[in-house]
Amino acid sequence: MKEQDTINPSSLRQALAAKARPNLVVVAGGTDILVQLHDRVDRPWPKLLVLDGIKALGKITLHDDFVTIGPNVTFSEIESSPIIGKYAPQLAQAASVAGSVQIRNRATIGGNVANASPAGDLIPPLYVLGATLELLSVRTKRSMPIEKFFVGPGKTVLKSNELITAIRISKVKRIGFFLRLGTRQALAISKVSVAAALMIKSGIILDVKIALGAVAPTVIRAGVAEELLRGNRLDAKLIDHAAEAASKEARPIDDIRSVAAYRKEMVGILLKRGLTKILESM
Amino acid sequence: MVTTDVAVKFTLNGIPMERDVPPNWTLLRFLRDGLGFTGTKCGCEIGECGACTVIFNGEAVNACLVLAPQIDGASIWTIEGVASSGRKLHPIQQAFVECDAVHCGFCSPGMVMSTVALLLHNRIPSNAVLKESLAGNLCRCTGYLQIIEAVRKAAESMDDMHLEKFRR
């Protein structure tokens, strides 16, 4: 029998069986992959594994202690989900500013993670929410913190026979934000982005996570800035110190979208903007 | 390299269809080169200009970023299906004409489809929502003001029945 060039499984079991074969390109939405393949429409075409038909991977589910987001969930669905709005406002914010309406209706969270761009807008929120990825193959199942998933731009530890089958976020309530800068508000890939999640009680920061996008080969945490904030009272002076620290932690490059010096400075500005808004709302 | 076409069933402008599609074609190429529906325009082919916007299961999408095999089971509406009969324009199209929102016309099919999708979800959009909903559609002629005016006019004057078919 002739091998199919496009595999359209309707169940996860079929998809995992298909993924056991090498050299498959996975499509979950396709808004990144089709741009990457655009220039080769008339040249040898990779075999595609299209996940769209697997309805079970397209759900947001509430559990006792955590929320599960299926990899096929679109940016639009994240943007409008009351569950995400409650437990992961940073993620909803990021989903609502990425791309355009048309892109957000097709782009998926699994695709955004697997594409592994340091500028992927859903990744910094997932870092600060302490998200866990579930990776399945026909015979194996493993989970890992999202921060362990990325190796470099476009590079991950996902094995060739594995698929991302779930993204989990704990239901601990935190406040936070996602802010980004691009050439224009719509349809621009982020030049720099900052996400944060904080637990504040009586003005004291009990816990904080900060992630920076598009300023290193992968999304990174701003550990020094976090350490400065943790255990202290949020005030304007502390915000300035943290912003300065985060700016130093960024290790951006000059590329087609922006220059390193601007990105470094904007990391501090965005963190300051986000934290100041939280301070003003307290 | 020999490729195997993929069998897909879908509905286009309310008409059920079954076709075999090349696995490496986009929905945009399939509409234009496979079916002769050239109203959907081919601009950037990378999801940035919105000229190829169609309604896919009730939502605006870029036809250039959908693979033809991905349309299996989908309901698709293109600009050809917007006006219901003969020569009479759909109220959204009529508003575009009356507000001079069409200059060269290349972006217009995409603009109209984005407007359909917006009004399907939000019958009385705020200005901010209206602009956000058209942010994925570029126009190099009008400066957008006439287009925004046309969408507002359509939203205010149109009867709900003119949106019903796009929900199917």
Side-chain angles (χ1 to χ4, degrees), chain A residues 2-6 8 27-31 34-35 38 40-45 48 50 52 96-97 99-106 184-187, chain B residues 1-6 23-26 29 44-50 53 56 59-62 64-67 69-70 114 132-133 135-138:
Chain A
K2 210 163 168 305
E3 270 197 341
Q4 288 258 304
D5 295 285
T6 303
N8 266 319
V27 180
T31 54
L34 281 186
V35 174
H38 170 250
R40 45 187 288 182
V41 170
D42 293 309
R43 285 192 289 139
W45 187 254
L48 300 181
V50 180
D52 299 21
S96 74
V97 295
S100 61
V101 170
Q102 292 96 316
I103 302 276
R104 295 196 285 273
N105 283 336
R106 294 293 296 169
R184 58 179 287 230
Q185 283 189 18
L187 278 168
Chain B
M1 193 177 107
V2 183
T3 55
T4 333
D5 285 0
V6 180
N24 58 343
W25 278 23
T26 61
R29 187 166 177 190
C44 69
E45 286 187 276
I46 52 171
E48 297 203 347
C49 77
T53 303
F56 189 94
E59 311 279 358
V61 306
N62 298 306
C64 70
L65 295 184
V66 177
L67 274 172
Q70 286 176 296
S114 281
E132 173 68 28
S133 300
N137 295 75
L138 299 183

Side-chain angles (χ1 to χ4, degrees), chain A residues 200-259:
Chain A
I200 300 178
K201 204 170 178 187
S202 313
I204 306 293
I205 301 164
L206 298 183
D207 196 19
V208 54
K209 284 185 179 148
I210 299 166
L212 314 177
V215 293
T218 67
V219 171
I220 55 169
R221 288 271 294 281
V224 179
E226 290 176 4
E227 203 51 48
L228 278 170
L229 292 167
R230 196 173 291 118
N232 289 310
R233 181 171 293 279
L234 189 64
D235 62 27
K237 205 171 156 194
L238 186 64
I239 291 174
D240 279 339
H241 285 312
E244 199 181 322
S247 186
K248 283 186 185 145
E249 288 180 86
R251 359 181 208 107
I253 54 166
D254 293 346
D255 68 12
I256 50 163
R257 278 191 286 281
S258 189
V259 294

Side-chain angles (χ1 to χ4, degrees), chain A residues 16-259:
Chain A
L16 290 173
K19 193 76 188 339
R21 299 188 338 188
N23 303 322
L24 273 181
V25 173
V26 177
V27 180
T31 54
D32 272 315
I33 210 80
L34 281 186
V35 174
Q36 291 162 27
L37 292 175
H38 170 250
D39 293 334
R40 45 187 288 182
V41 170
D42 293 309
R43 285 192 289 139
W45 187 254
K47 287 196 191 305
L48 300 181
L49 175 61
V50 180
L51 300 183
D52 299 21
I54 308 174
K55 299 284 174 269
L57 296 183
K59 293 180 177 143
I60 298 170
T61 323
L62 202 54
H63 305 271
D64 286 347
D65 301 325
F66 56 91
V67 175
T68 301
I69 309 171
N72 278 356
V73 172
T74 66
F75 281 49
S76 295
E77 287 161 349
I78 290 170
E79 186 182 350
S80 61
S81 159
I83 296 174
I84 301 296
K86 183 170 177 187
Y87 295 108
Q90 306 88 336
L91 191 64
Q93 181 63 28
S96 74
V97 295
S100 61
V101 170
Q102 292 96 316
I103 302 276
R104 295 196 285 273
N105 283 336
R106 294 293 296 169
T108 63
I109 186 169
N112 199 239
V113 170
N115 195 51
S117 164
D121 281 328
L122 299 190
I123 300 170
L126 290 174
Y127 267 50
V128 301
L129 291 162
T132 303
L133 302 181
E134 182 188 84
L135 311 177
L136 245 65
S137 76
V138 172
R139 281 183 196 81
T140 63
K141 178 177 180 172
R142 56 181 180 142
S143 299
M144 69 171 64
I146 189 160
E147 292 178 49
K148 299 248 189 303
F149 185 69
F150 303 103
V151 180
K155 293 204 166 58
T156 73
V157 299
L158 190 75
K159 292 181 185 146
S160 76
N161 63 348
E162 285 178 322
L163 287 171
I164 300 171
T165 48
I167 295 133
R168 296 215 169 85
I169 292 166
S170 77
K171 271 164 68 179
V172 179
K173 270 203 88 173
R174 320 159 180 92
I175 52 170
F177 56 85
F178 172 80
L179 294 169
R180 64 168 219 160
L181 291 172
T183 300
R184 58 179 287 230
Q185 283 189 18
L187 278 168
I189 292 171
S190 293
K191 294 169 191 273
V192 48
S193 64
V194 176
L198 301 93
M199 285 177 72
I200 300 178
K201 204 170 178 187
S202 313
I204 306 293
I205 301 164
L206 298 183
D207 196 19
V208 54
K209 284 185 179 148
I210 299 166
L212 314 177
V215 293
T218 67
V219 171
I220 55 169
R221 288 271 294 281
V224 179
E226 290 176 4
E227 203 51 48
L228 278 170
L229 292 167
R230 196 173 291 118
N232 289 310
R233 181 171 293 279
L234 189 64
D235 62 27
K237 205 171 156 194
L238 186 64
I239 291 174
D240 279 339
H241 285 312
E244 199 181 322
S247 186
K248 283 186 185 145
E249 288 180 86
R251 359 181 208 107
I253 54 166
D254 293 346
D255 68 12
I256 50 163
R257 278 191 286 281
S258 189
V259 294

Side-chain angles (χ1 to χ4, degrees), chain B residues 20-63:
Chain B
D20 292 332
V21 296
N24 58 343
W25 278 23
T26 61
L27 170 58
L28 174 61
R29 187 166 177 190
F30 175 56
L31 286 170
R32 294 180 58 87
D33 298 350
L35 298 173
F37 280 59
T38 53
T40 303
K41 298 303 174 205
C42 176
C44 69
E45 286 187 276
I46 52 171
E48 297 203 347
C49 77
C52 68
T53 303
V54 299
I55 310 285
F56 189 94
N57 294 334
E59 311 279 358
V61 306
N62 298 306

